[in-house]
Structures are given as structure tokens and as C-alpha cells.
Amino acid sequence: MKLSTNIIIIILTVVTLIGAAVRLYKIGEIPWALNRDEASIGYTAYSLLKTGADEHGTAWPINVESFGDWKLPAYIYTVIPFVAAFGLEPWVVRLPSAISGVLLIPVSFLFVLAWKKKPSTTDLYTGLSAALFVAFSPWSLRLSRVAYEANLALLFATVGIACIVHGLNTKKRWCIPIGVFFSLLTTLTYHTYQVFMPLLLLSLVVLFRNSITSVIRTNKKVTLTSAVITTCFAFLLIIGNTASANTTKFNGLSVFSESTYHFQLFDRRMSFENPTGLPAKLYANSISMITENVFHNISAILSTDFLLINGGSHGSHDVKGIGNVALPALLLTLISLAIIIYKLYTHSASKFETTLLVWFLLSFVAPVITVEAAHSIRFSPAILIFAVLAAYGLLQVLTHLSSKKRLVFLSITLFMLFYSFFQTLGTYFVIFPQRDHQTWPWYSRQLSSDLETLKSQYVKIVMPQVDSSPYIFLLFDWQYDPQKVSEQLSFYPTDEGGFKHAKSLENISFEPIDWNAFISSSNPELVFENKNEFDKQNLQPGDYTILKKYESNNAAATFYLISN
């Protein structure tokens, strides 16, 4: 049955609304707490709104120092108008990511259509199918409900490439500089795209070399505008000291860094009688270790556990029981890849088909060259391409079936997709909130409220969780006056890993607890500590008073707020 354009638009609208509903429903409550990156994004946006500088005093930074992990600015700046309109709240910080996930649904439809001057009925069906796979993607759902820069970057990338391709395929050349802008904006949004996007754009230059040459010869305005935009982004990346910030960040993550495999290399060589001899060096060396890590990373990404069952294992990035790709989408993607590879072999692949394969392969680069390859965020450029490849595969299969078999195959595929989505919703909205508090700072909001009330009654408050940056939750929850931060917040020197941790905020110190000093102090002091660590101290009941217990039915850790 042939669908009219109006029916396709109606279906696309319904699918987008369903996608919006599941991405926006209780966005400030599930997940139930901000992670520290979200809190940092929110408070930095708040600080920039109020003072034009971040908590470190840097005015309108291009690279945001944060905890020393150097965040890129686009998501933070996108949050600013939302904070101005609605205030500093958890759901406000997550809203740009949620909107990005919703917009990606219709944009994926337009992305498919951009490759043809006059899209065919098959193209419309492929675009609609791509939108459906994005809307029901468990990967997109998870990313859209947390303030992930990667989700915003994916939207920018999709819009950018669609505009460039549309401008090259039609007479609407003005789309090209718009596409260049959004494509390069990804490099200021999430670090993965500083590797991914230049390689993808280079691939497009090769594929569309004749069209690009024609534009350069015949449309100087478009050429000059695109060149100016490119120069501006290059300038921003240079003056923002992005290379230095990336070096700091990359050194702790790269499989090429000696620190990544040093101890493993040492252990293997020590198994030999002469650890410094030639046989030991041939058996274990930097080249063999890097090669092993790269292949391990590839296998981790391609594992069924990562793709279908649990996603990655990185705490708040993933939810146990929710994979990244629905089973029908994965099966159709494999069919698509086989078809495209065959077409490339027979020299019959279109630019669209070639780009899909290139995009898919380039998505592997960032996670493969870093530690913890099964990382749902670093591999997130693949979200779109899994959906588009699945849609392409679905239409390829349907066109080779009889009408009766076509209906059966489509019905089975849709049933599997809808049932998989139902399972995802059940796990995310019912099971996840009752099970996984331990992967989030579930106590932070209540603790902030209690400390705000109690801090004036104590000379010193100690929080030993230095590495988890508890100060940023206090700044966020208290909506701390950014103009006072420079006076009240101090930091430790930057550590060997490049991280910068807070030392104190007003009378709150972030340091290991000296229990003897705490007990013997004549001044009223307060500490916040994990129950297990507290129990190890074997203190006498008269030495302390537990003011409050923070516990959750589904979190292993219990925390105490203790006074002397």
C-alpha cells in the first residue's frame, strides 16, 4: 500500500510526539539525581549568566576547566537561556539534551531525504523508518534524559551533514555554509567529534569533489562564507587552548599512553628469566600492547552485551538490562552493511550508501583509541547511523519480497521493535529507579539542604569524598552567588592526572577525616562519612552524635552526618 505524503507526515508527527513523551516524562526525577558533570554544567551556566565567568574566574571560556577535565562550551552555553527562563533546576540542565533527542527524530527523516534532489517514495519510507528507529532507540532514550553534550553534538552533526549534502545536491547552495557551521560546532560540543567530524568531512570532500569544485568555481559567496566559518572555528579552537586541554584529557584515556599498559607490560616481562632480554621485549612491547588493546576495544564494542543487553559498564552512562540497539535494528543493520560492502565491491554503491558505511566505521575511532572502549557516550555518533542503516536494510528487504511476505516481514519487525521498546520503558521507568541508586549521588540534594541549615552552627565541616567533587553539588543546590565563589572556594594544586579538586568552600573542608582531631576538638565540628568507613574507627558512643542517616533501599552504601 502506497502512503501519501500527508500520511507520512502525520505518522512522523505521531512518532516524534511519542519520542518526546518518553524523553521528557519526569526528566528531573528519573534519574533521581544529577551526576557531577551535570551539576558542573548547570552551575557553570548559572555563573556565566550572573557574572560572565565560571567558578574558576575565567570569562566566557572556550574550554571550561571544571574539575580539570576540560569540558567544551556549546552545551553549557545552550543551557544559559534555559536557566535564565526557568531557574537552576535539574530538569532545566537536562532539557537541551532531551530536546536534542526529540529533534533528532524528524531530522533523521530529513537527513535521508537530503541525498536526493527529488526523493522517491522509497526514500520517504526509508526516512520515516529511520525516524521510527531513532524514536524507539534505547540508546537515544538514555542519552536524552541526562545532560550529555554528546546528544547535542549528534543533533548538530546530523543537521550539518544533511545541509551540506542538500546544498550540493540541489541549487540551494546557501545550505552549505549552514551545514559547515553546524558540523564544525560539534567540535566545540563533545570531544569525540574533534576526531570524528574532520574525518567525516574529509570523506565528503572526496565523495563530492566534483560538486565542490563546481561550487568553488561558480559561487564565490558560498565558498567565502564557508571558508570564513571554518577559519573562525579553527581560531576558536586555537585561542581556547584546545590542543593543550585535549592533551591533558587524552593522556589519561589513550591506549597509546604508556601509563595505560605500563604495569601489564612489566608483569609480562617479569615472567621471563631475564625481563630485559630480547625474548621478553619481543613478547611484551609497546606495539604488541597497543595492538592488543585496540583489538580488545573493537571486540568490546561489537559484543552482544554492549549492543543488545546492558550497554556499557560506566555507572551513570548505562542502565543494566538496556542495550544500546534494539535487536531488529541490529539485524537490519547487519543486512545493510553486507549489501553496501557488496555494492562497493561491484562499484555500484551510491554516495549515500558509501557515507553510511564511512560514518559507521568512523564512529569506532574515538572509543577504539581510548580505554574503556565499551563506552556508550564516545560511541554515540553511531546512534543515527544504526537507525538509518536499519531503515535502509528494512526497505531493501521489503523491495525483494512479494506483497504477502512483505506484510509478514514488516509485521514481525514492528512487533519486535515495539516489544523491545516496551521492555526498555519498563526497565528504565520501573526497575531502574528501584534498583540503581548506587550509581548516582542519590543523597546529594538532601545533604545540601541539611548542610545549608547546619553550617552556621559548626566551626568546621569535613567531607572526605574529594575525588567525587562534592563542592559542585553544594554550589548547584544552594544556587551559590557566583560573585562570592572566588572568595569562598579554594582548590588543591592540579594532580598528576590533570584533575583539579576543591579544597574548601566556606567552612566546609574536602579532605580525609582526622578522627582523633575531630573527637578532641573543643570546637563544634561535623563530618559526612560512609557508614563502613565510620564503623572501622571503633569510636566510643560518647565521642560523637549521629545527626542524620542517609540510606536508600536499593543502594549498598549508607552515609552518616556526625557531630563531635
Side-chain angles (χ1 to χ4, degrees):
M1 181 180 70
K2 186 175 181 180
L3 300 178
S4 67
T5 302
N6 288 337
I7 294 297
I8 289 175
I9 292 174
I10 290 172
I11 295 173
L12 177 63
T13 302
V14 171
V15 168
T16 302
L17 290 175
I18 293 172
V22 298
R23 284 161 176 77
L24 292 169
Y25 174 69
K26 290 189 174 181
I27 192 174
E29 301 172 38
I30 304 174
W32 44 87
L34 296 178
N35 62 41
R36 71 169 186 166
D37 288 321
E38 291 181 290
S40 176
I41 287 169
Y43 187 76
T44 301
Y46 179 73
S47 181
L48 288 169
L49 174 67
K50 297 295 185 180
T51 67
D54 64 9
E55 70 263 33
H56 298 280
T58 305
W60 301 108
I62 296 172
N63 272 284
V64 182
E65 187 172 6
S66 187
F67 319 116
D69 57 346
W70 297 101
K71 292 175 174 60
L72 291 170
Y75 192 99
I76 293 171
Y77 289 177
T78 304
V79 172
I80 291 175
F82 292 96
V83 171
F86 305 112
L88 186 59
E89 297 292 339
W91 69 270
V92 174
V93 179
R94 290 171 175 169
L95 192 56
S97 183
I99 293 174
S100 298
V102 174
L103 292 179
L104 186 63
I105 299 169
V107 167
S108 62
F109 173 79
L110 298 175
F111 174 83
V112 174
L113 301 191
W115 294 83
K116 295 287 184 65
K117 188 174 183 179
K118 291 184 178 180
S120 65
T121 302
T122 300
D123 296 325
L124 290 171
Y125 290 166
T126 303
L128 182 60
S129 300
L132 183 68
F133 282 114
V134 169
F136 291 173
S137 166
W139 202 350
S140 176
L141 171 67
R142 289 201 327 273
L143 263 65
S144 298
R145 295 187 60 83
V146 179
Y148 284 126
E149 302 103 314
N151 211 35
L152 181 63
L154 178 59
L155 177 66
F156 289 159
T158 309
V159 171
I161 299 303
C163 286
I164 291 173
V165 170
H166 186 63
L168 291 172
N169 283 334
T170 66
K171 293 182 180 180
K172 298 177 181 178
R173 303 301 196 191
W174 51 268
C175 288
I176 296 174
I178 294 174
V180 170
F181 173 81
F182 278 104
S183 296
L184 294 179
L185 186 56
T186 64
T187 64
L188 290 175
T189 308
Y190 185 58
H191 290 91
T192 288
Y193 287 84
Q194 294 182 351
V195 177
F196 174 81
M197 186 52 68
L199 294 175
L200 182 60
L201 290 175
L202 181 61
S203 301
L204 289 181
V205 168
V206 174
L207 282 173
F208 287 91
R209 55 190 178 277
N210 294 331
S211 299
I212 292 173
T213 301
S214 175
V215 171
I216 293 173
R217 289 175 177 172
T218 61
N219 201 319
K220 302 298 182 184
K221 186 176 181 180
V222 165
T223 303
L224 180 60
T225 304
S226 300
V228 168
I229 291 171
T230 303
T231 302
C232 288
F233 274 99
F235 178 72
L236 287 173
L237 289 169
I238 291 170
I239 66 169
N241 202 23
T242 301
S244 177
N246 284 351
T247 299
T248 301
K249 192 177 185 76
F250 194 63
N251 281 341
L253 297 173
S254 169
V255 296
F256 304 112
S257 174
E258 186 178 345
S259 61
T260 304
Y261 56 83
H262 174 76
F263 292 108
Q264 191 177 6
L265 180 68
F266 177 79
D267 288 341
R268 291 188 181 183
R269 286 185 179 178
M270 288 303 294
S271 300
F272 286 77
E273 184 176 346
N274 180 8
T276 60
L278 182 60
K281 290 182 178 180
L282 288 175
Y283 177 75
N285 53 73
S286 58
I287 295 176
S288 67
M289 296 301 297
I290 291 171
T291 303
E292 180 181 322
N293 285 335
V294 166
F295 279 99
H296 169 77
N297 288 350
I298 294 173
S299 65
I301 293 172
L302 295 176
S303 70
T304 54
D305 187 71
F306 177 69
L307 293 175
L308 292 175
I309 302 173
N310 292 312
S313 57
H314 191 285
S316 60
H317 291 175
D318 303 280
V319 177
K320 185 179 179 181
I322 300 180
N324 285 323
V325 185
L327 178 59
L330 179 60
L331 295 176
L332 290 168
T333 296
L334 294 176
I335 292 172
S336 295
L337 292 173
I339 293 172
I340 293 172
I341 291 171
Y342 175 77
K343 285 191 172 185
L344 283 172
Y345 178 74
T346 59
H347 305 287
S348 59
S350 66
K351 291 185 178 73
F352 173 63
E353 292 163 334
T354 304
T355 302
L356 293 185
L357 181 61
V358 170
W359 189 312
F360 178 77
L361 294 175
L362 291 180
S363 298
F364 283 78
V365 175
V368 162
I369 64 174
T370 54
V371 296
E372 195 184 353
H375 196 290
S376 298
I377 313 304
R378 292 184 201 136
F379 193 45
S380 60
I383 291 175
L384 172 78
I385 220 61
F386 269 106
V388 177
L389 282 171
Y392 172 86
L394 177 62
L395 269 294
Q396 289 293 312
V397 172
L398 292 178
T399 55
H400 289 85
L401 295 176
S402 64
S403 58
K404 193 172 183 179
K405 291 180 180 178
R406 191 180 303 157
L407 180 60
V408 172
F409 184 84
L410 182 59
S411 299
I412 293 173
T413 300
L414 290 177
F415 173 79
M416 291 175 65
L417 181 63
F418 294 155
Y419 185 74
S420 173
F421 190 59
F422 175 76
Q423 290 285 325
T424 296
L425 295 181
T427 302
Y428 195 90
F429 291 106
V430 180
I431 306 301
F432 172 52
Q434 300 180 48
R435 184 192 62 194
D436 294 343
H437 278 200
Q438 70 275 4
T439 58
W440 294 79
W442 50 271
Y443 51 82
S444 62
R445 195 98 184 187
Q446 184 59 55
L447 176 63
S448 295
S449 176
D450 292 336
L451 290 181
E452 187 172 24
T453 302
L454 294 169
K455 64 178 180 173
S456 61
Q457 302 173 29
Y458 292 87
V459 173
K460 183 179 182 180
I461 301 172
V462 179
M463 300 180 70
Q465 300 81 11
V466 179
D467 293 344
S468 59
S469 308
Y471 82 95
I472 198 64
F473 296 103
L474 301 178
L475 294 180
F476 184 98
D477 293 331
W478 294 349
Q479 299 190 16
Y480 204 88
D481 185 351
Q483 294 182 338
K484 297 180 180 179
V485 167
S486 60
E487 303 171 4
Q488 301 295 339
L489 180 63
S490 65
F491 290 89
Y492 290 103
T494 303
D495 65 20
E496 293 180 356
F499 289 97
K500 191 170 185 178
H501 300 296
K503 184 176 182 180
S504 64
L505 173 65
E506 294 187 358
N507 62 333
I508 303 173
S509 296
F510 308 102
E511 61 186 24
I513 299 172
D514 184 338
W515 289 101
N516 290 328
F518 171 72
I519 294 170
S520 60
S521 175
S522 57
N523 295 316
E525 295 188 6
L526 196 63
V527 299
F528 175 74
E529 181 59 291
N530 183 297
K531 176 182 181 299
N532 292 337
E533 291 298 319
F534 172 73
D535 289 343
K536 292 177 183 178
Q537 307 308 316
N538 295 317
L539 302 182
Q540 298 300 315
D543 294 334
Y544 64 90
T545 301
I546 296 177
L547 297 185
K548 187 159 186 177
K549 180 188 292 187
Y550 301 86
E551 56 186 346
S552 168
N553 292 334
N554 57 52
T558 296
F559 295 89
Y560 289 155
L561 198 58
I562 310 162
S563 68
N564 59 359

